[in-house]
Amino acid sequence: MQTTFNLKLAGLGLGCALLIGCGGGGGSGSNDSTGTLSLDITDAPVDNVAEVWVQFTGVRIQPQDGDAIEFVFDSPMDIDLLTLTGENSASLLNSESVPAGEYNWIALDVNAQFDTVFDSFVTLDDGGQVELQVPSGSQQGLRLVSGFTVTANQNSSFIIDWDLRKGLTDPQGQDGVFLRPALRIVDMTEHGTLGGSVADALIMDESCTNDSADGTGNLVYVYEGADVTPVDVDGNDPDPLTTGSVAVDDQAAGAYTYSIPFLSPGEYTVAFTCQGLDDDPETADDLVFVQAQNAEVTDSEETTIDFE
């Protein structure tokens, strides 16, 4: 098995080579101004696995005009995504010079095939390991089709949140575990946090299917927009934007709390369920959600939503 190393801290500088398009032109058309781009990655948590190792080989970005710009890492980066929950992140690009302007998408290039080479894999709770593979089209990388802007003469900093609760699936009748691009991008110049507490009675309710021994399955689901009726993760609207784990907080006298960082300012709907272990991202599941509430996230602030 390939030796791996753990990246837990944000801002870790890593060298990469910059290649511009196959034709050597590219950039952003006639715009000769430049800015710099920084890109980190973080992870919304998932249950029933102990580690999720992904080997990154590079990043590609597509300007609105011109060829794609490719960053190839000097050596592959092996990252356990489960170390990047909460406010932890790892740096993929650090102040790389790029043409200023509008961009259409980002693609994360990874080594993830079912080929007996454990470059990307999950470690299960029982210690077993299963290879990760990207579904068909992996030659195009894990693509996030979401526009962003690089500002001239400034550093534009973004973070990609990889929601493994949506991204890891066990395909029936096929080898390995599928790794899907359940990605969202957040502009780090403006972002806030949702957090709060959950009453013990909701954690221990008779309807719960959580694992009371370790608290898995207690989750807060976050949806874009106000007054959304909460539903499970199934790939159909309104799919949750992200989820956050609820756990005992030793710093708060043993209360159950949650914190979901890296949310763009705006309106959201927030709901709690203690049936998160029943949420299969491949199917529609009839989960019980309680106390759906509207929340307004503002820049550089933590919005408190408690479930009483």
Side-chain angles (χ1 to χ4, degrees):
M1 181 181 301
Q2 177 167 330
T3 301
T4 55
F5 59 91
N6 199 345
L7 297 179
K8 295 186 179 180
L9 300 177
L12 188 61
L14 291 153
C16 60
L18 173 60
L19 308 175
I20 300 191
C22 298
S28 296
S30 60
N31 184 5
D32 294 328
S33 62
T34 62
T36 57
L37 175 65
S38 294
L39 182 66
D40 281 20
I41 190 162
T42 189
D43 160 47
V46 67
D47 305 316
N48 297 329
V49 293
E51 298 174 326
V52 181
W53 286 97
V54 177
Q55 186 174 95
F56 295 85
T57 61
V59 174
R60 284 172 292 128
I61 57 176
Q62 176 61 59
Q64 281 190 351
D65 300 310
D67 299 325
I69 300 172
E70 182 177 10
F71 300 88
V72 179
F73 299 148
D74 293 337
S75 58
M77 296 170 53
D78 297 287
I79 300 178
D80 177 10
L81 293 177
L82 289 195
T83 66
L84 303 182
T85 57
E87 295 186 354
N88 294 324
S89 64
S91 175
L92 297 178
L93 301 177
N94 187 9
S95 299
E96 296 290 342
S97 180
V98 296
E102 303 294 326
Y103 288 78
N104 292 336
W105 52 255
I106 295 176
L108 306 179
D109 293 324
V110 300
N111 287 326
Q113 299 84 32
F114 191 79
D115 55 5
T116 71
V117 178
F118 280 70
D119 36 31
S120 295
F121 61 92
V122 297
T123 300
L124 306 177
D125 287 337
D126 63 6
Q129 294 180 332
V130 182
E131 281 190 273
L132 289 170
Q133 62 172 320
V134 176
S136 59
S138 60
Q139 71 275 7
Q140 298 300 321
L142 293 158
R143 184 173 295 185
L144 170 60
V145 182
S146 181
F148 64 97
T149 303
V150 173
T151 304
N153 303 315
Q154 295 183 25
N155 183 56
S156 299
S157 180
F158 301 91
I159 192 165
I160 290 179
D161 181 10
W162 198 334
D163 191 345
L164 293 181
R165 193 170 301 280
K166 302 176 186 178
L168 291 181
T169 59
D170 188 4
Q172 297 298 314
Q174 300 186 58
D175 295 321
V177 172
F178 275 177
L179 181 65
R180 300 182 184 276
L183 309 169
R184 67 183 180 96
I185 189 169
V186 179
D187 187 340
M188 293 300 287
T189 60
E190 287 190 311
H191 65 92
T193 299
L194 275 173
S197 62
V198 178
D200 292 7
L202 297 179
I203 302 290
M204 304 300 177
D205 189 84
E206 291 183 357
S207 68
C208 294
T209 56
N210 57 1
D211 185 346
S212 58
D214 61 12
T216 55
N218 297 312
L219 298 170
V220 173
Y221 284 53
V222 180
Y223 304 83
E224 286 188 284
D227 300 320
V228 175
T229 300
V231 295
D232 70 317
V233 176
D234 61 6
N236 298 312
D237 289 335
D239 233 17
L241 178 71
T242 189
T243 61
S245 295
V246 178
V248 173
D249 187 345
D250 294 333
Q251 303 300 316
Y256 288 94
T257 63
Y258 72 96
S259 179
I260 304 174
F262 308 126
L263 293 171
S264 298
E267 292 186 330
Y268 297 89
T269 301
V270 190
F272 170 76
T273 183
C274 58
Q275 298 182 350
L277 290 178
D278 297 336
D279 195 347
D280 182 346
E282 295 291 286
T283 63
D285 305 297
D286 189 18
L287 304 187
V288 175
F289 291 92
V290 299
Q291 297 185 22
Q293 304 178 58
N294 292 334
E296 180 79 22
V297 173
T298 56
D299 181 34
S300 303
E301 300 289 341
E302 177 166 335
T303 301
T304 300
I305 299 293
D306 296 327
F307 297 91
E308 303 295 343

